[in-house]
Amino acid sequence: MIKLIASDLDGTLLPPSKILPERLFPLIKELRKKGIIFTPASGRQLPNLKKLFSPVLNEIAIIAENGGIVWFGGKIIYSNPTPKEDVLKTLEAVEKISGLYPLLSCADCAYYQSGNPAFIEVVKRSYSSCRQVKSLKKLANDVEVIKISVWDEAPPSANHGAPLLAPKLSGLRVMASGFDWLDVSTLKANKGNALKELMKELGFEKDDCLAFGDHMNDLEMLQACGHPFVVANAFAGLKEKFKDEVPSNADLGVMKKLEELL
């Protein structure tokens, strides 16, 4: 019996407009009445996700920062911060690559340094809690950083920033988290380990969980659940690994599957 449903947002649950489907919140409440907990699992920050899902916060769990944070029952139940020395190493590596702009993602706020107007516009559109500081390196000595997000001015990031940055950061996970974003974190910080921690907290087994994804940063999450699904618009490499498919995000495939489950 399905007891937990985890879904990536951008490219998976959200249509191209990036607006939550109107029927979603009533559906989440109906699922909870049947003993099923819905869990958005995203690279987005926790404050952004809490704001986005505010009408149903008491009904859901949240996996934020691509698995760096798990929130449930009004509190953070798991986090996987990046060690300070790795944060500083990443900032130094990013400095040497033209067109990459770093941002430090913490539990309650995201911090950036660059004054590039295009970068600032993207940050403020993507992060509901963000702040500009004079020095990210100085800040890294004072705060706990979950991950380093890197905006790529010359996307797709999987083809530009990732191949340039990854060789400089051995021992860290460098992953394209969107068309123009990269995430740098510890090797264990992924949606799969976060989902396992959530299942452990809830006392659920692998077969109790169903998940949806569209890109390689969803790989571990799909592997961690007993019922993995990809959307029709998913990255080809992911579709090769998981054969169960729902219609594309443009066709609200995840919503259709949720309604089918009910």
Side-chain angles (χ1 to χ4, degrees), residues 5-9 12-13 38 41 191 210-214 218 221-222 225 227-231 238 245-246 253-258 261:
I5 297 174
S7 179
D8 173 57
L9 295 187
T12 303
L13 175 64
F38 182 79
K191 294 181 184 180
L210 182 151
F212 302 96
D214 79 308
D218 299 316
M221 177 176 72
L222 295 175
C225 77
H227 307 274
F229 288 84
V230 293
V231 285
L238 200 67
E245 185 176 306
V246 296
V254 172
M255 290 292 295
K256 291 175 180 176
K257 184 64 178 180
L258 295 181
L261 288 172

Side-chain angles (χ1 to χ4, degrees), residues 43-94:
R44 298 189 187 202
Q45 67 173 168
L46 181 60
N48 179 276
L49 292 169
K50 289 169 72 174
K51 181 179 179 181
L52 193 63
F53 286 87
S54 58
V56 290
L57 268 187
N58 293 331
E59 315 289 340
I60 66 172
I62 294 174
I63 295 174
E65 304 289 7
N66 269 331
I69 290 177
V70 180
W71 180 94
F72 180 68
K75 62 183 179 181
I76 293 173
I77 62 170
Y78 166 80
S79 68
N80 193 324
T82 304
K84 179 177 68 175
E85 57 270 24
D86 288 330
V87 175
L88 294 172
K89 179 172 72 172
T90 300
L91 291 174
E92 290 174 2
V94 171

